[in-house]
Amino acid sequence: MKIDGQPALVTGGGSGLGAAVARALAAQGARVAVLDVNLDGAQAVAKEIGGLAQRCDITDTAQIESALDAAAAAHGPARIVMNIAGIGTAKRVVGRDGQATSLDEFERTIRVNLVGTYNMLRLSAARIAKLDPVDGERGVMVMTASVAAFDGQVGQQAYSASKGGIVSMTLPLARDLAQHLIRVNTIAPGIFLTPLLAALPQESQDSLSASIPHPKRLGDPAEFAALALQLVTNAYLNGETIRIDGALRMPPR
């Protein structure tokens, strides 16, 4: 699908990988709605790229519907949906006090990363399915997993499970939505230089970089965004999960 002129949605677009994707889409001529629970971040990115900012909690169906309505009113119905929003957690099953970890954090991580991603996808897909095809397809949807889906580290049970769920549902979603001419793909990023990692001491950044075979550095969010755009423009990419990690395979710790 050609990007120029197409309405697009980016969840988690107020910072990090989501902001990079929003900028890249806008640079290619897309009309971008930036969705984020952090409205200030969404507004900053939207102002920069000439887009629309909407506060949106992807676990809240009413907020998604409201954001979709606002984006459609401003730009037209979205055909490109980038699901980047998510949270990260790390906690051992048995704590240092010998007690079982709380179930609350596990459930919250699954709800935001997996259920929230599906929630946005199902609601936006229903709208895309009603649109007329353009160049043989109605829409393109991209989800965000993680290398932790394949080689999660100690303490990443919840995060790995949530991202593994995204990987597992990629192919069945692509098969399900094929009848509506909607493609679905997933990106599984490694360690990227997001604002969170940029705040770490240089020594810590260097240690993380040393674990990556080649190139020995943290990923640039612009590289993630470039792959996201390729998943939109290459019409034969469907039902795939693609790692982008410099050949990183995460050690146990």
Side-chain angles (χ1 to χ4, degrees):
M1 175 175 288
K2 294 179 180 178
I3 294 173
D4 187 26
Q6 294 295 351
L9 303 172
V10 182
T11 72
S15 66
L17 300 179
V21 171
R23 293 185 184 104
L25 285 167
Q28 293 296 315
R31 293 171 285 174
V32 183
V34 182
L35 280 50
D36 205 297
V37 290
N38 178 359
L39 182 57
D40 289 342
Q43 288 175 332
V45 173
K47 182 178 180 180
E48 175 189 339
I49 65 174
L52 172 74
Q54 286 287 301
R55 187 188 186 283
C56 183
D57 177 347
I58 58 175
T59 67
D60 188 318
T61 295
Q63 285 193 34
I64 292 177
E65 294 283 22
S66 178
L68 293 176
D69 287 343
H75 299 152
R79 293 181 182 271
I80 299 170
V81 179
M82 297 286 181
N83 293 285
I84 317 294
I87 59 174
T89 58
K91 187 164 288 189
R92 290 175 180 265
V93 177
V94 180
R96 292 181 178 179
D97 59 1
Q99 298 300 309
T101 187
S102 168
L103 189 60
D104 293 345
E105 188 170 348
F106 188 94
E107 291 180 329
R108 177 172 177 266
T109 304
I110 297 295
R111 178 152 184 78
V112 173
N113 291 352
L114 180 57
V115 178
T117 294
Y118 182 77
N119 201 24
M120 171 58 72
L121 186 141
R122 74 181 182 93
L123 295 171
S124 51
R127 297 185 180 216
I128 294 172
K130 297 180 176 67
L131 303 178
D132 293 330
V134 174
D135 297 329
E137 56 186 346
R138 289 191 171 89
V140 182
M141 314 186 86
V142 175
M143 302 185 294
T144 306
S146 167
V147 295
F150 307 100
D151 34 73
Q153 296 182 296
V154 168
Q156 285 189 323
Q157 293 80 227
Y159 185 68
S160 294
S162 68
K163 296 301 188 177
I166 290 174
V167 171
S168 294
M169 71 180 180
T170 301
L171 181 58
L173 282 171
R175 287 172 165 171
D176 189 333
L177 294 173
Q179 62 185 312
H180 302 294
L181 308 181
I182 300 171
R183 290 187 291 114
V184 182
N185 290 289
T186 292
I187 302 174
I191 307 173
F192 276 73
L193 189 58
T194 59
L196 182 64
L197 284 182
L200 293 176
Q202 189 59 49
E203 182 180 353
S204 298
Q205 294 185 38
D206 292 343
S207 176
L208 289 170
S209 298
S211 68
I212 300 169
H214 178 69
K216 277 197 174 301
R217 60 171 174 78
L218 303 182
D220 184 337
E223 293 168 321
F224 177 95
L227 177 55
L229 266 58
Q230 175 65 203
L231 292 175
V232 175
T233 58
N234 191 325
Y236 210 58
L237 281 169
N238 195 17
E240 294 296 331
T241 296
I242 302 176
R243 292 179 66 133
I244 178 168
D245 56 25
L248 172 69
R249 295 300 180 267
M250 303 264 273
R253 293 178 177 83

